[in-house]
């Protein structure tokens, strides 16, 4: 058996929430490893900025508008991407939102929006893109979990519920899609400073101070800290790994 490669040359990766902090990092990481990249998020103009960065790295890139909570939008994205590239080898379901309110103050719309983007959106994109992977008997799906897939925290009830759903959806789809040659895994970061949380990191330092105090590596994450895990889970090097939640958490989960 040849030594497995960490390269993604000739593959096509699709990243939802691809214009955000961790999504754009994923786009650049997959491109650095050799993949062409589809950058997908509601704001196509912001996706195009990331697509231009990918092209500057010598890869092909396509910016596509998508709302992962809407089947019609996900189906339109799928049709456009398959028309442009003919395949998606790597699907990174990264889109996610938070609603930082107490569980008493949340209203129905807050709850459903957070659940819909992370949990329902992940399933919607897998439902749309798995068939062309099944047809080729190959594919990699990486879902965006969180340390809050397995831990609770105040003022994040729907986020914790949604990320726990993503973790077990990952396992369920790994079981179902494994016989079709598709690996399904998740990454579970702790706090990585992006637009999602920069305001809270800056203005409510006590919240993240509690997290930081539990991190053996002694610092919050930077987006680049996620690159190795994403490329590994997308590459031939992880061929025998599926159904796993890979924590990228500075050791938080070990404490
Ligand atoms: N930053 C962290 O500390 C951290 C930790 C653990 C997990 N995560 C997860 O990482 C993912 C990316 O977060 P980030 O920190 O880069 O935040 P971000 O706000 O920079 O990015 C979120 C992305 O999701 C996209 N998005 C929102 N609603 C969407 C929809 N309906 N359809 C498609 N895309 C949509 C946004 O356009 C944006 O590109 C999220 O799932 C988040 O929960 C982040």
């Amino acid at each position: 058996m040849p030594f497995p490669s960490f390269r993604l040359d000739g593959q096509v990766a699709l990243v939802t929430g691809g214009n955000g902090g961790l999504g754009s990092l994923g786009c650049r990481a997959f491109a650095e490893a050799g993949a062409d990249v589809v950058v997908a998020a509601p704001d196509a103009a912001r996706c195009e900025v990331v697509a231009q960065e990918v092209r500057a790295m010598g890869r092909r890139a396509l910016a596509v508008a998508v709302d992962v909570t809407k089947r019609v939008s996900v189906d339109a994205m799928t049709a456009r991407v398959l028309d442009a590239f003919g395949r998606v080898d790597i699907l990174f379901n990264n889109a996610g939102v938070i609603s930082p309110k107490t569980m008493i103050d949340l209203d129905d719309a807050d709850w459903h929006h957070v659940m819909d983007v992370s949990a329902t959106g992940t399933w919607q994109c897998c439902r749309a893109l798995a068939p062309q992977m099944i047809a080729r008997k190959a594919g990699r799906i990486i879902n965006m979990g969180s340390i809050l897939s397995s831990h609770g925290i105040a003022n994040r009830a729907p986020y914790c519920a949604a990320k726990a759903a993503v973790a077990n959806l990952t396992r369920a789809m790994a079981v179902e899609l494994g016989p079709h040659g598709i690996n399904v895994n998740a990454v579970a970061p702790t706090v990585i400073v992006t637009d999602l949380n920069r305001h809270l990191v800056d203005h409510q330092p006590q919240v993240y101070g509690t997290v930081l105090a539990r991190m053996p590596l002694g610092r919050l994450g930077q987006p680049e800290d996620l690159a190795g895990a994403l490329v590994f889970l997308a590459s031939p090097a992880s061929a025998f790994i599926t159904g796993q939640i890979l924590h990228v958490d500075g050791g938080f989960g070990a404490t």
Side-chain angles (χ1 to χ4, degrees):
M1 187 175 172
F3 196 75
S5 169
F6 287 80
R7 296 289 306 170
L8 307 176
D9 299 292
Q11 300 199 39
V12 177
L14 186 153
V15 181
T16 69
N19 62 12
L22 301 185
S24 61
L25 175 280
C27 294
R28 291 190 299 274
F30 293 141
E32 176 67 31
D36 297 327
V37 179
V38 179
V39 189
D43 185 339
R46 285 187 58 204
C47 290
E48 180 56 31
V49 173
V50 179
Q52 284 174 10
E53 291 176 13
V54 169
R55 288 183 204 113
M57 298 169 76
R59 313 292 174 218
R60 294 185 300 164
L62 178 69
V64 183
V66 71
D67 177 349
V68 298
T69 70
K70 303 271 189 314
R71 182 173 191 173
V72 65
S73 179
V74 171
D75 287 348
M77 171 191 74
T78 301
R80 180 142 177 240
V81 170
L82 295 182
D83 186 49
F85 287 129
R87 59 199 287 166
V88 171
D89 303 285
I90 301 154
L91 168 61
F92 178 26
N93 288 302
N94 162 75
V97 292
I98 57 172
S99 183
K101 294 183 182 176
T102 72
M103 52 82 66
I104 304 285
D105 290 335
L106 284 167
D107 59 30
D108 291 14
D110 296 326
W111 175 271
H112 289 298
H113 185 53
V114 175
M115 293 294 289
D116 282 354
V117 176
S118 273
T120 311
T122 293
W123 163 68
Q124 296 251 37
C125 292
C126 292
R127 179 176 61 181
L129 285 158
Q132 52 89 40
M133 294 179 177
I134 291 171
R136 285 181 284 106
K137 289 201 160 299
R140 295 301 174 94
I141 296 173
I142 305 170
N143 297 327
M144 179 55 92
S146 165
I147 193 72
L148 298 181
S149 295
S150 53
H151 289 69
I153 186 173
N155 305 327
R156 297 287 187 284
Y159 187 83
C160 292
K163 292 302 187 185
V166 167
N168 221 26
L169 175 62
T170 298
R171 297 184 187 98
M173 292 195 300
V175 172
E176 193 165 327
L177 296 177
H180 297 287
I182 301 168
N183 300 48
V184 187
N185 292 289
V187 286
T190 183
V191 180
I192 295 182
V193 183
T194 68
D195 288 348
L196 189 81
N197 53 26
R198 189 169 285 110
H199 178 80
L200 294 169
V201 170
D202 290 344
H203 298 287
Q204 293 185 22
Q206 72 283 4
V207 175
Y208 291 106
T210 310
V211 176
L212 189 55
R214 276 190 59 175
M215 288 172 64
L217 293 184
R219 64 175 177 86
L220 299 180
Q222 296 299 320
E224 289 72 15
D225 286 318
L226 197 60
L230 292 176
V231 171
F232 171 61
L233 291 177
S235 76
S238 61
F240 202 50
I241 297 174
T242 196
Q244 297 301 310
I245 316 300
L246 177 54
H247 289 83
V248 184
D249 68 352
F252 180 97
T255 61

